[in-house]
Structure formats: structure tokens, C-alpha cells
Coordinates of all heavy atoms in Angstrom, one line a residue:
M1 N 0.9 -1.2 0.0 CA 0.0 0.0 0.0 C 0.9 1.2 0.0 O 1.8 1.3 0.8 CB -0.9 0.0 1.3 CG -2.0 1.0 1.2 SD -2.8 1.2 2.8 CE -3.6 -0.4 3.0
A2 N 0.6 2.1 -0.9 CA 1.4 3.4 -0.9 C 0.9 4.4 0.1 O -0.2 4.3 0.6 CB 1.2 4.0 -2.3
R3 N 1.8 5.3 0.5 CA 1.4 6.3 1.4 C 0.3 7.2 0.8 O 0.4 7.5 -0.3 CB 2.7 7.1 1.8 CG 2.4 8.3 2.7 CD 3.7 8.8 3.3 NE 4.3 7.9 4.2 CZ 4.0 7.9 5.5 NH1 3.1 8.8 6.0 NH2 4.6 7.1 6.4
K4 N -0.7 7.5 1.6 CA -1.8 8.2 1.1 C -2.0 9.5 1.9 O -1.7 9.5 3.1 CB -3.1 7.3 1.3 CG -4.1 7.6 0.2 CD -5.3 6.6 0.4 CE -6.5 7.3 -0.2 NZ -7.8 6.6 0.1
T5 N -2.4 10.6 1.3 CA -2.5 11.8 2.0 C -4.0 12.2 2.1 O -4.8 12.1 1.1 CB -1.7 12.9 1.3 OG1 -0.4 12.5 1.3 CG2 -1.8 14.3 2.0
Y6 N -4.4 12.7 3.3 CA -5.7 13.1 3.6 C -5.6 14.6 3.9 O -4.8 15.1 4.7 CB -6.3 12.4 4.8 CG -6.3 10.9 4.6 CD1 -5.2 10.1 4.8 CD2 -7.5 10.3 4.1 CE1 -5.2 8.7 4.6 CE2 -7.5 8.9 3.9 CZ -6.4 8.2 4.1 OH -6.4 6.8 3.9
T7 N -6.4 15.4 3.2 CA -6.3 16.9 3.2 C -7.2 17.5 4.3 O -8.4 17.1 4.4 CB -6.7 17.5 1.9 OG1 -5.9 16.8 0.9 CG2 -6.5 19.0 1.8
G8 N -6.6 18.4 5.1 CA -7.4 19.1 6.1 C -7.2 20.6 5.8 O -6.4 21.0 5.1
P9 N -8.0 21.4 6.6 CA -8.0 22.9 6.4 C -6.7 23.5 6.9 O -6.3 24.6 6.4 CB -9.2 23.4 7.1 CG -9.5 22.3 8.1 CD -9.0 21.0 7.5
V10 N -6.1 22.9 8.0 CA -4.9 23.5 8.6 C -3.7 22.7 8.2 O -2.6 23.2 7.8 CB -5.1 23.6 10.1 CG1 -3.9 24.4 10.7 CG2 -6.4 24.3 10.5
V11 N -3.8 21.4 8.4 CA -2.7 20.5 8.1 C -3.3 19.3 7.3 O -4.4 18.9 7.5 CB -1.9 20.0 9.3 CG1 -1.1 21.1 10.0 CG2 -2.8 19.2 10.3
D12 N -2.4 18.6 6.5 CA -2.8 17.3 5.9 C -2.2 16.2 6.7 O -1.2 16.4 7.5 CB -2.3 17.3 4.5 CG -2.8 18.4 3.6 OD1 -3.8 19.0 4.0 OD2 -2.2 18.7 2.6
V13 N -2.7 15.0 6.6 CA -2.1 13.9 7.3 C -1.8 12.8 6.2 O -2.7 12.5 5.4 CB -3.2 13.3 8.3 CG1 -2.7 12.0 8.9 CG2 -3.5 14.3 9.4
S14 N -0.6 12.2 6.3 CA -0.4 11.1 5.4 C -0.2 9.8 6.2 O 0.2 9.9 7.4 CB 0.9 11.4 4.5 OG 2.1 11.2 5.2
F15 N -0.5 8.7 5.6 CA -0.6 7.4 6.3 C -0.1 6.4 5.3 O -0.5 6.3 4.2 CB -2.0 7.2 6.7 CG -2.2 5.8 7.3 CD1 -1.7 5.5 8.5 CD2 -2.9 4.8 6.6 CE1 -1.9 4.2 9.1 CE2 -3.1 3.5 7.1 CZ -2.6 3.2 8.3
D16 N 0.8 5.5 5.9 CA 1.2 4.3 5.1 C 0.8 3.0 5.9 O 1.4 2.7 7.0 CB 2.8 4.4 5.0 CG 3.3 3.2 4.1 OD1 2.6 2.2 3.9 OD2 4.4 3.4 3.7
G17 N -0.2 2.4 5.4 CA -0.7 1.2 6.1 C 0.3 0.0 6.2 O 0.1 -0.8 7.0
D18 N 1.3 0.0 5.4 CA 2.3 -1.0 5.4 C 3.2 -1.0 6.7 O 3.7 -2.0 7.1 CB 3.2 -1.0 4.2 CG 2.5 -1.5 3.0 OD1 1.5 -2.1 3.1 OD2 3.0 -1.2 1.9
V19 N 3.3 0.2 7.2 CA 4.2 0.3 8.4 C 3.4 0.5 9.7 O 3.9 0.4 10.8 CB 5.2 1.5 8.3 CG1 6.2 1.2 7.2 CG2 4.5 2.8 8.1
C20 N 2.1 0.7 9.6 CA 1.2 0.8 10.8 C 1.3 -0.4 11.7 O 1.2 -1.6 11.2 CB -0.2 1.0 10.4 SG -1.4 1.0 11.7
Q21 N 1.5 -0.2 13.0 CA 1.6 -1.3 14.0 C 0.3 -1.5 14.7 O 0.3 -2.3 15.7 CB 2.8 -1.1 14.9 CG 4.1 -1.1 14.2 CD 5.2 -0.5 15.2 OE1 5.0 0.0 16.3 NE2 6.5 -0.6 14.7
H22 N -0.7 -0.8 14.3 CA -2.0 -1.0 15.0 C -2.0 -0.8 16.5 O -2.6 -1.5 17.2 CB -2.6 -2.3 14.6 CG -2.7 -2.5 13.1 ND1 -3.6 -1.9 12.3 CD2 -1.9 -3.3 12.3 CE1 -3.4 -2.2 11.0 NE2 -2.3 -3.0 11.0
A23 N -1.1 0.2 16.9 CA -1.0 0.5 18.3 C -2.2 1.3 18.8 O -2.4 1.5 20.0 CB 0.3 1.2 18.6
A24 N -2.9 1.9 17.9 CA -4.1 2.7 18.2 C -3.9 3.9 19.0 O -4.8 4.5 19.5 CB -5.2 1.8 18.8
E25 N -2.6 4.4 19.0 CA -2.4 5.7 19.7 C -3.2 6.8 19.0 O -3.7 7.7 19.7 CB -0.9 6.1 19.6 CG 0.1 5.3 20.5 CD -0.1 5.7 21.9 OE1 -0.6 6.8 22.2 OE2 0.2 4.8 22.8
C26 N -3.3 6.7 17.7 CA -4.1 7.8 17.0 C -5.5 7.7 17.4 O -6.1 8.8 17.7 CB -3.9 7.6 15.5 SG -4.2 5.9 14.9
V27 N -6.1 6.5 17.4 CA -7.6 6.4 17.6 C -7.9 6.8 19.1 O -8.9 7.5 19.3 CB -8.0 5.0 17.4 CG1 -9.5 4.8 17.7 CG2 -7.7 4.6 15.9
R28 N -7.0 6.5 20.0 CA -7.2 6.9 21.4 C -7.0 8.4 21.6 O -7.7 9.0 22.3 CB -6.2 6.1 22.3 CG -6.8 4.8 22.8 CD -6.0 4.3 24.0 NE -4.6 4.1 23.7 CZ -4.1 2.9 23.2 NH1 -4.9 1.9 23.1 NH2 -2.8 2.8 22.9
G29 N -6.0 8.9 20.9 CA -5.6 10.3 21.1 C -6.5 11.3 20.5 O -6.7 12.4 21.0
M30 N -7.1 11.0 19.3 CA -8.0 12.0 18.7 C -9.1 11.2 17.9 O -9.0 11.2 16.6 CB -7.2 12.9 17.8 CG -7.9 14.2 17.6 SD -6.8 15.5 16.8 CE -7.8 16.9 16.9
P31 N -10.0 10.7 18.6 CA -11.1 9.8 17.9 C -11.9 10.6 16.9 O -12.5 10.0 16.0 CB -11.9 9.3 19.0 CG -11.6 10.1 20.2 CD -10.2 10.7 20.0
T32 N -12.0 11.9 17.0 CA -12.7 12.7 16.0 C -12.1 12.6 14.6 O -12.8 12.7 13.6 CB -12.9 14.2 16.4 OG1 -11.6 14.7 16.7 CG2 -13.8 14.3 17.6
V33 N -10.8 12.5 14.6 CA -10.0 12.5 13.3 C -9.8 11.1 12.9 O -9.9 10.7 11.7 CB -8.7 13.3 13.4 CG1 -7.8 13.0 12.2 CG2 -8.9 14.7 13.6
F34 N -9.5 10.2 13.8 CA -9.1 8.8 13.5 C -10.3 7.9 14.0 O -10.4 7.6 15.1 CB -7.8 8.4 14.2 CG -6.6 9.3 13.8 CD1 -6.2 10.3 14.7 CD2 -6.0 9.1 12.6 CE1 -5.1 11.1 14.3 CE2 -5.0 9.9 12.2 CZ -4.5 10.9 13.1
D35 N -11.1 7.5 13.0 CA -12.3 6.7 13.3 C -12.3 5.5 12.4 O -12.6 5.6 11.2 CB -13.5 7.6 13.1 CG -14.8 6.8 13.4 OD1 -14.7 5.6 13.7 OD2 -15.9 7.4 13.3
T36 N -11.9 4.4 12.9 CA -11.8 3.2 12.1 C -13.2 2.7 11.5 O -13.2 1.9 10.6 CB -11.1 2.0 12.8 OG1 -11.8 1.8 14.0 CG2 -9.7 2.4 13.2
A37 N -14.3 3.2 12.1 CA -15.6 2.8 11.5 C -16.0 3.7 10.4 O -16.9 3.4 9.7 CB -16.6 2.9 12.6
A38 N -15.3 4.8 10.1 CA -15.6 5.7 9.1 C -14.8 5.5 7.8 O -13.7 4.8 7.9 CB -15.4 7.2 9.5
R39 N -15.2 5.9 6.7 CA -14.4 5.9 5.4 C -14.5 7.2 4.8 O -15.5 7.7 4.5 CB -15.0 4.8 4.5 CG -14.8 3.4 4.9 CD -13.4 3.0 4.9 NE -13.1 1.7 5.5 CZ -12.9 1.4 6.7 NH1 -12.8 2.4 7.6 NH2 -12.7 0.2 7.1
P40 N -13.3 7.9 4.6 CA -12.0 7.4 5.0 C -11.8 7.4 6.5 O -12.5 8.2 7.2 CB -11.0 8.3 4.3 CG -11.8 9.6 4.2 CD -13.2 9.2 4.0
W41 N -11.0 6.6 7.1 CA -10.9 6.5 8.5 C -10.1 7.7 9.1 O -10.1 7.9 10.3 CB -10.3 5.2 9.0 CG -8.8 5.0 8.8 CD1 -8.2 4.7 7.6 CD2 -7.8 5.1 9.8 NE1 -6.8 4.6 7.9 CE2 -6.6 4.8 9.2 CE3 -7.9 5.4 11.2 CZ2 -5.4 4.9 9.9 CZ3 -6.7 5.4 11.9 CH2 -5.4 5.1 11.3
I42 N -9.4 8.4 8.3 CA -8.6 9.6 8.7 C -9.3 10.9 8.1 O -9.5 10.9 6.9 CB -7.2 9.6 8.3 CG1 -6.5 8.4 8.8 CG2 -6.4 10.9 8.7 CD1 -5.0 8.2 8.3
D43 N -9.8 11.8 9.0 CA -10.5 12.9 8.5 C -9.9 14.2 9.2 O -10.4 14.7 10.2 CB -12.0 12.8 8.9 CG -12.8 14.0 8.4 OD1 -12.2 14.9 7.7 OD2 -14.0 14.1 8.7
P44 N -8.8 14.8 8.5 CA -8.2 15.9 9.1 C -9.1 17.2 9.1 O -8.7 18.2 9.6 CB -6.9 16.1 8.3 CG -6.9 15.1 7.3 CD -8.2 14.3 7.3
T45 N -10.2 17.1 8.4 CA -11.1 18.3 8.4 C -11.7 18.6 9.8 O -12.2 19.6 10.1 CB -12.3 18.2 7.4 OG1 -13.2 17.1 7.8 CG2 -11.8 17.9 6.0
R46 N -11.6 17.5 10.7 CA -12.1 17.7 12.0 C -11.1 18.5 12.9 O -11.5 19.0 14.0 CB -12.3 16.3 12.7 CG -13.2 15.4 11.9 CD -14.6 16.0 11.7 NE -15.4 16.0 12.9 CZ -16.1 15.0 13.5 NH1 -16.2 13.9 12.8 NH2 -16.7 15.2 14.6
A47 N -9.9 18.7 12.4 CA -8.9 19.6 13.1 C -8.9 20.9 12.3 O -8.1 21.1 11.4 CB -7.6 18.9 13.1
D48 N -9.9 21.7 12.6 CA -10.1 22.9 11.8 C -9.8 24.2 12.4 O -10.2 25.3 12.0 CB -11.6 23.0 11.3 CG -12.6 23.0 12.5 OD1 -12.1 23.0 13.7 OD2 -13.8 23.0 12.3
S49 N -8.9 24.2 13.4 CA -8.4 25.4 14.1 C -6.9 25.1 14.4 O -6.5 24.0 14.4 CB -9.1 25.7 15.4 OG -8.9 24.7 16.3
E50 N -6.2 26.2 14.7 CA -4.8 26.0 15.0 C -4.6 25.1 16.3 O -3.8 24.3 16.4 CB -4.0 27.3 15.2 CG -2.5 27.2 15.3 CD -1.9 26.3 14.2 OE1 -2.1 26.4 13.0 OE2 -1.1 25.4 14.6
G51 N -5.6 25.3 17.2 CA -5.5 24.5 18.5 C -5.7 23.0 18.2 O -5.0 22.2 18.7
T52 N -6.8 22.7 17.4 CA -7.0 21.3 17.2 C -5.9 20.7 16.3 O -5.6 19.5 16.4 CB -8.4 21.0 16.6 OG1 -8.6 21.9 15.5 CG2 -9.5 21.3 17.6
A53 N -5.4 21.5 15.4 CA -4.3 21.0 14.5 C -3.1 20.7 15.4 O -2.3 19.8 15.1 CB -4.0 22.1 13.5
Q54 N -2.8 21.5 16.4 CA -1.7 21.2 17.3 C -1.9 19.9 18.1 O -1.0 19.1 18.3 CB -1.5 22.4 18.3 CG -0.2 22.3 19.1 CD 1.1 22.1 18.2 OE1 1.2 22.8 17.2 NE2 1.9 21.1 18.4
I55 N -3.1 19.7 18.5 CA -3.4 18.4 19.2 C -3.2 17.2 18.2 O -2.6 16.2 18.5 CB -4.9 18.4 19.7 CG1 -5.1 19.4 20.8 CG2 -5.3 17.0 20.2 CD1 -6.6 19.6 21.1
L56 N -3.6 17.4 16.9 CA -3.4 16.4 15.9 C -1.9 16.2 15.7 O -1.4 15.0 15.6 CB -4.0 16.9 14.6 CG -3.9 16.0 13.4 CD1 -4.5 14.6 13.7 CD2 -4.7 16.6 12.2
R57 N -1.1 17.3 15.7 CA 0.4 17.1 15.5 C 0.9 16.3 16.7 O 1.8 15.4 16.5 CB 1.1 18.5 15.5 CG 0.9 19.3 14.2 CD 1.7 20.5 14.3 NE 1.4 21.4 13.2 CZ 0.6 22.5 13.3 NH1 0.1 22.8 14.4 NH2 0.4 23.2 12.2
D58 N 0.5 16.6 17.9 CA 0.9 15.9 19.1 C 0.6 14.4 19.1 O 1.4 13.5 19.4 CB 0.4 16.5 20.4 CG 0.9 17.9 20.6 OD1 1.9 18.3 20.0 OD2 0.3 18.6 21.5
V59 N -0.7 14.1 18.7 CA -1.1 12.7 18.6 C -0.3 12.0 17.5 O 0.2 10.8 17.8 CB -2.6 12.6 18.3 CG1 -3.0 11.2 17.9 CG2 -3.4 13.1 19.5
I60 N -0.1 12.6 16.4 CA 0.7 11.9 15.3 C 2.2 11.7 15.8 O 2.8 10.7 15.4 CB 0.6 12.7 14.0 CG1 -0.8 12.6 13.5 CG2 1.7 12.3 13.0 CD1 -1.1 13.4 12.2
G61 N 2.7 12.7 16.6 CA 4.0 12.5 17.2 C 4.2 11.3 18.0 O 5.3 10.8 18.2
R62 N 3.1 10.8 18.5 CA 3.1 9.6 19.4 C 2.9 8.3 18.6 O 3.0 7.2 19.2 CB 2.0 9.7 20.5 CG 2.3 10.8 21.5 CD 1.5 10.6 22.8 NE 0.1 10.6 22.6 CZ -0.6 11.8 22.7 NH1 0.0 12.9 22.9 NH2 -1.9 11.7 22.6
C63 N 2.7 8.4 17.3 CA 2.6 7.2 16.5 C 3.9 6.4 16.5 O 4.9 7.0 16.1 CB 2.2 7.6 15.0 SG 2.3 6.2 13.9
P64 N 3.9 5.2 17.0 CA 5.2 4.5 17.2 C 5.9 4.0 16.0 O 7.1 3.7 16.0 CB 4.8 3.4 18.1 CG 3.4 3.1 17.9 CD 2.8 4.4 17.5
S65 N 5.1 3.9 14.9 CA 5.7 3.3 13.7 C 6.1 4.2 12.6 O 6.9 3.9 11.7 CB 4.6 2.4 13.1 OG 3.5 3.2 12.6
G66 N 5.7 5.5 12.7 CA 6.0 6.4 11.7 C 5.0 6.3 10.5 O 5.2 6.9 9.5
A67 N 3.9 5.5 10.7 CA 2.9 5.4 9.7 C 2.2 6.7 9.4 O 1.9 7.0 8.2 CB 1.9 4.3 10.1
L68 N 2.0 7.5 10.4 CA 1.4 8.8 10.3 C 2.4 9.9 10.2 O 3.4 9.9 11.0 CB 0.4 9.0 11.5 CG -0.8 8.2 11.6 CD1 -1.5 8.4 12.9 CD2 -1.8 8.6 10.5
R69 N 2.1 10.9 9.4 CA 3.0 12.1 9.3 C 2.1 13.3 9.1 O 1.0 13.2 8.4 CB 3.9 12.0 8.1 CG 5.1 11.1 8.3 CD 6.0 11.2 7.1 NE 6.8 9.9 7.0 CZ 7.3 9.5 5.8 NH1 7.1 10.1 4.7 NH2 8.0 8.4 5.8
V70 N 2.5 14.4 9.7 CA 1.8 15.6 9.5 C 2.4 16.3 8.3 O 3.6 16.3 8.1 CB 1.9 16.6 10.7 CG1 1.4 18.0 10.4 CG2 1.3 16.0 11.9
V71 N 1.5 16.8 7.4 CA 2.0 17.6 6.3 C 1.5 19.0 6.4 O 0.3 19.3 6.2 CB 1.5 17.0 4.9 CG1 2.1 17.7 3.7 CG2 1.8 15.5 4.9
D72 N 2.4 19.9 6.9 CA 2.0 21.3 7.0 C 1.8 21.9 5.6 O 2.6 21.5 4.7 CB 3.0 22.0 7.8 CG 2.9 21.8 9.3 OD1 1.9 22.2 9.9 OD2 3.8 21.2 9.9
H73 N 0.9 22.8 5.5 CA 0.7 23.4 4.2 C 1.9 24.3 3.9 O 2.4 24.9 4.8 CB -0.6 24.2 4.2 CG -1.8 23.4 4.3 ND1 -3.1 23.9 4.5 CD2 -2.0 22.0 4.2 CE1 -4.0 22.9 4.5 NE2 -3.3 21.8 4.3
P74 N 2.4 24.3 2.6 CA 3.7 24.9 2.3 C 3.8 26.4 2.8 O 4.8 26.7 3.3 CB 3.7 24.9 0.8 CG 2.7 23.9 0.4 CD 1.7 23.7 1.5
D75 N 2.8 27.2 2.6 CA 3.0 28.6 3.0 C 2.3 28.9 4.3 O 2.1 30.0 4.7 CB 2.4 29.5 1.9 CG 1.0 29.1 1.6 OD1 0.4 28.1 2.2 OD2 0.4 29.7 0.7
G76 N 1.9 27.8 5.1 CA 1.2 28.0 6.3 C -0.2 28.4 6.2 O -0.9 28.7 7.1
S77 N -0.7 28.5 4.9 CA -2.0 29.0 4.7 C -3.1 27.9 5.0 O -2.7 26.7 5.0 CB -2.2 29.4 3.2 OG -2.1 28.3 2.4
W78 N -4.2 28.3 5.1 CA -5.4 27.4 5.3 C -6.0 27.2 4.0 O -6.2 28.2 3.2 CB -6.4 27.9 6.3 CG -5.9 28.0 7.7 CD1 -4.5 28.1 8.1 CD2 -6.6 27.9 8.9 NE1 -4.5 28.1 9.5 CE2 -5.7 28.0 10.0 CE3 -8.0 27.8 9.2 CZ2 -6.2 28.0 11.3 CZ3 -8.4 27.8 10.5 CH2 -7.5 27.9 11.5
S79 N -6.5 26.0 3.7 CA -7.3 25.8 2.5 C -8.8 25.7 3.0 O -9.0 25.1 4.0 CB -6.9 24.6 1.8 OG -7.0 23.5 2.6
A80 N -9.7 26.4 2.4 CA -11.1 26.4 2.9 C -11.7 25.1 2.6 O -11.3 24.3 1.8 CB -11.8 27.5 2.1
Ligands
SF4_101 S1 -0.7 5.3 16.0 FE1 0.4 4.8 14.2 S2 0.9 2.7 14.4 FE2 -0.7 3.1 15.8 S3 -2.6 2.6 14.7 FE3 -2.2 4.8 14.5 S4 -1.1 4.9 12.5 FE4 -1.0 2.8 13.2

């Protein structure tokens, strides 16, 4: 599985299912964004403020496998 990117208004999130260790840090840390019952299961549109985007960055920082990465928008701008 190739790394896939999910677009959000403040930051994007990329995910590589081949390296995910299913530790569920993401699901426990921010269930509004990481919901395995939803499709797609990663929804960065739920992190729609700088505050929630920072929580998302922190949660992704705890991903033990490196499967998740934060992709900051190039110019720091928000996409509507
Ligand atoms: S925290 Fe990382 S390794 Fe754990 S389930 Fe989420 S993506 Fe996979």
C-alpha cells in the first residue's frame, strides 16, 4: 500500500498502512479525526483550528511506527 494523504484545512495527514503497527495511539488520542468505523478513517477536516491542529500534531508525534505524518501546508495557509 502506498502512502496516502488526507487533506485538512490547517494540516494534511499522510498514512502508510504497510508500516502501521495498529497500536491505536491515534484512535485513542484523537477519535474525532481517527475513526476506524468511518471511510476514510482519517479525517483531518475535524482539526479545523490551530488549536485542534496542534493536538493532531501531538497525537501523530506519538505514532510509534511512523505510519502517520503531518504535512504542514507549504505557506502556512489554510485551505477552505
Ligand atoms: S498510532 Fe500509528 S501505528 Fe498506531 S494505529 Fe495509528 S497509525 Fe498505526
Side-chain angles (χ1 to χ4, degrees):
M1 190 191 293
R3 180 166 285 277
K4 212 174 152 192
T5 300
Y6 301 84
T7 304
V10 187
V11 294
D12 302 341
V13 174
S14 79
F15 173 71
D16 185 342
D18 286 342
V19 296
C20 173
Q21 295 169 351
H22 306 286
E25 284 292 336
C26 52
V27 178
R28 272 196 299 270
M30 204 168 188
T32 52
V33 172
F34 302 102
D35 179 358
T36 54
R39 291 292 175 271
W41 76 280
I42 300 172
D43 182 7
T45 67
R46 306 297 293 273
D48 58 359
S49 66
E50 189 47 51
T52 49
Q54 190 54 49
I55 295 169
L56 180 56
R57 288 186 189 99
D58 292 346
V59 168
I60 288 176
R62 293 200 295 272
C63 171
S65 67
L68 288 171
R69 285 183 203 154
V70 172
V71 184
D72 282 295
H73 293 172
D75 53 2
S77 70
W78 292 26
S79 60

